[in-house]
Amino acid sequence: MPLPTRSSRALAMVSFPVVLTLGILTIPVVVDYRDHDLAARAATHSVRWFWGHMFTGAAFGLATVAACAMAGCLLRTRHARWVYVGMPMMAVGAALHAVGLGADGIAPLAVIAGGGRAQTFFDGSGGLVSGVFLAGAVAFGVGLMVQLQGLFRIGIPSSRLQPMVFLSAIAFMGFEAVPSGWGLYGVAGASWVVFGTVAASMWRWHGSPQHGVDPERGGLQ
């Protein structure tokens, strides 16, 4: 089976922020998720609410593909120890996000379809769903930062961009903790900085299987 090309690795990385941003822009903005009445009113925009959550959930499915692309570079350069910790955590975190987004996107609409009020769902499950998102944010964020540490060691991205990327990974987790729909826009922005920058670096990277060294240029790319 042929190894993934530079372009396919870069595409795998950038697919996550593209679909994530599409989903976040589709979901109606809830200024304060702690106000269940506001959330219930947003859910009445059923088409946007449903598809926004579905796109965002699918984005975290693609995040596992991005995690595999990162892992592929690390395994190719014999930095597997970063993969064994980082990739499973990213996969678990992405799965928890998908579970939470599925519940948030479908359950309120199911309650409305059954003749109830969407607020009933938010009142009864707020703590449960928030807990799932919190666990997902921590697992995904920590796994991402672990894999980034490995990529930094092989020069992805360049040393001058690494602090910006790492701080954006922390911001990604921080914005998820903001109990407002506006925080989601911060999540989308941070995802572009992290995954977009790494994707661009992967596009230019010519690492050898041993050390991540370009055999023609003799340096880390």
Side-chain angles (χ1 to χ4, degrees):
M1 183 176 180
L3 292 173
T5 63
R6 288 180 294 148
S7 58
S8 64
R9 287 195 298 264
L11 180 61
M13 291 297 297
V14 81
S15 64
F16 171 58
V18 168
V19 180
L20 180 68
T21 301
L22 175 62
I24 288 172
L25 290 176
T26 303
I27 298 172
V29 175
V30 179
V31 177
D32 187 352
Y33 276 102
R34 293 169 298 188
D35 186 333
H36 294 167
D37 181 59
L38 289 177
R41 277 187 277 171
T44 60
H45 299 277
S46 57
V47 174
R48 289 183 59 196
W49 184 265
F50 176 80
W51 284 111
H53 282 81
M54 292 305 102
F55 283 134
T56 309
F60 278 97
L62 292 172
T64 61
V65 180
C68 289
M70 299 167 75
C73 290
L74 295 173
L75 291 172
R76 187 181 177 201
T77 54
R78 299 182 180 177
H79 286 73
R81 64 185 182 276
W82 303 100
V83 175
Y84 297 148
V85 176
M87 185 175 171
M89 293 189 71
M90 286 186 70
V92 169
L96 290 173
H97 276 93
V99 168
L101 288 161
D104 250 3
I106 296 172
L109 304 185
V111 171
I112 293 172
R117 297 170 61 245
Q119 188 167 342
T120 303
F121 165 76
F122 293 110
D123 288 341
S125 64
L128 291 173
V129 175
S130 296
V132 169
F133 279 126
L134 178 61
V138 172
F140 186 84
V142 172
L144 174 60
M145 288 188 285
V146 168
Q147 291 226 90
L148 284 175
Q149 287 297 320
L151 291 176
F152 291 169
R153 290 173 178 262
I154 60 174
I156 298 177
S158 63
S159 57
R160 64 185 177 82
L161 295 177
Q162 289 173 10
M164 177 188 71
V165 170
F166 194 75
L167 289 174
S168 295
I170 296 174
F172 184 97
M173 286 197 299
F175 280 121
E176 284 205 79
V178 176
S180 169
W182 296 116
L184 296 177
Y185 288 83
V187 171
S191 73
W192 275 104
V193 175
V194 176
F195 290 86
T197 303
V198 172
S201 297
M202 284 184 174
W203 185 278
R204 299 188 296 267
W205 187 68
H206 297 269
S208 73
Q210 286 76 29
H211 305 293
V213 174
D214 185 334
E216 296 180 358
R217 301 181 187 179
L220 289 174
Q221 302 300 307

